[in-house]
Amino acid sequence: AQSVSQHNHHVILSEAASLELGCNYSYGGTVNLFWYVQYPGQHLQLLLKYFSGDPLVKGIKGFEAEFIKSKFSFNLRKPSVQWSDTAEYFCAVNTLYNQGGKLIFGQGTELSVKP
Amino acid sequence: DAGVIQSPRHEVTEMGQEVTLRCKPISGHNSLFWYRQTMMRGLELLIYFNNNVPIDDSGMPEDRFSAKMPNASFSTLKIQPSEPRDSAVYFCASSSVSSGNTIYFGEGSWLTVV
């Protein structure tokens, strides 16, 4: 069965530190990849996505992610985090492209940024 | 665009009562998803529809849960009877090929069963 694994359950950083959140998936076929962010008490919002083309994808709020097919990875990065980035981050994979796009989520990584 | 609209936003109910959660997907989207989020289990896909037809309901916990999509602009998730362990946030989401199959989430229905 397809699965998505996020390496870190909880990450604590100081403002201006660099961020990298790991994501690996298990599926050998074509995938679409997503990162969603969930601010405290809110719903999931799309941060960025990869469908094809340049494996380095830029999203909103200075986030980017790199798809490395050989490693089945799609890690999220930000060079300098802010207190407002405190949230939970979910990596997700879409493997049923032709049937409406069922998303499989990782377990989430909670990011706490200290001011 | 109004986005995915869910109701109620918050509900507190007693064990044994019936709960109905409602969802209006983004206009033009033909796929609709119901997710449940808890601290213990994270995000779980309960069921999803494509063109109003249930495609995969393997995530529905048990027979107490049922979902319908009578038309392209409305879906319900029903729990009968409800139990305290059903307390969670229930998210509805929708997507379409025209959105690049990107899934957009509603703001969730926060359910507490006491």
Side-chain angles (χ1 to χ4, degrees):
Chain A
Q2 298 91 10
S3 66
V4 178
S5 175
Q6 292 182 236
H7 310 310
N8 309 100
H9 180 64
H10 192 187
V11 172
I12 302 172
L13 295 174
S14 297
E15 275 194 315
S18 65
L19 169 72
E20 181 160 2
L21 302 182
C23 173
N24 285 91
Y25 63 93
S26 63
Y27 184 71
T30 302
V31 293
N32 297 326
L33 298 156
F34 304 80
W35 275 97
Y36 283 83
V37 60
Q38 186 177 26
Y39 297 103
Q42 296 189 26
H43 63 292
L44 279 80
Q45 302 171 48
L46 182 68
L47 205 52
L48 50 78
K49 61 187 178 184
Y50 171 81
F51 284 179
S52 64
D54 188 344
L56 184 60
V57 179
K58 294 194 183 298
I60 60 172
K61 304 186 180 186
F63 286 91
E64 65 179 30
E66 184 175 14
F67 171 49
I68 303 178
K69 188 174 182 179
S70 61
K71 295 185 177 180
F72 298 89
S73 71
F74 190 55
N75 292 354
L76 181 71
R77 299 194 292 250
K78 186 171 183 179
S80 176
V81 296
Q82 301 173 314
W83 177 77
S84 58
D85 294 325
T86 295
E88 190 155 14
Y89 293 81
F90 293 90
C91 181
V93 171
N94 174 338
T95 63
L96 292 177
Y97 188 83
N98 293 325
Q99 290 198 40
K102 171 181 173 178
L103 268 186
I104 299 166
F105 281 90
Q107 64 269 46
T109 297
E110 184 179 347
L111 172 65
S112 299
V113 180
K114 297 183 292 185
Chain B
D1 199 317
V4 177
I5 299 173
Q6 292 186 244
S7 65
R9 290 293 315 278
H10 298 270
E11 178 151 349
V12 180
T13 190
E14 290 185 345
M15 183 174 63
Q17 296 297 307
E18 177 180 294
V19 173
T20 300
L21 308 179
R22 298 172 179 79
C23 175
K24 177 177 168 39
I26 292 172
S27 177
H29 282 192
N30 64 337
S31 293
L32 183 139
F33 308 81
W34 282 101
Y35 284 87
R36 177 173 70 176
Q37 186 177 36
T38 61
M39 288 290 291
M40 292 297 294
R41 302 169 73 101
L43 263 172
E44 304 172 275
L45 176 65
L46 301 178
I47 185 170
Y48 82 99
F49 296 83
N50 189 243
N51 294 323
N52 310 339
V53 176
I55 301 299
D56 183 353
D57 65 355
S58 59
M60 295 287 264
E62 48 198 273
D63 291 345
R64 296 185 297 107
F65 285 69
S66 62
K68 294 182 180 179
M69 190 165 186
N71 58 62
S73 59
F74 184 66
S75 176
T76 60
L77 177 68
K78 187 175 292 187
I79 309 172
Q80 167 62 21
S82 58
E83 297 181 2
R85 61 193 169 116
D86 302 330
S87 298
V89 184
Y90 292 82
F91 289 104
C92 179
S94 70
S95 73
S96 70
V97 172
S98 63
S99 76
N101 281 333
T102 300
I103 293 180
Y104 294 91
F105 285 79
E107 295 191 346
S109 292
W110 299 66
L111 173 66
T112 302
V113 183
V114 298

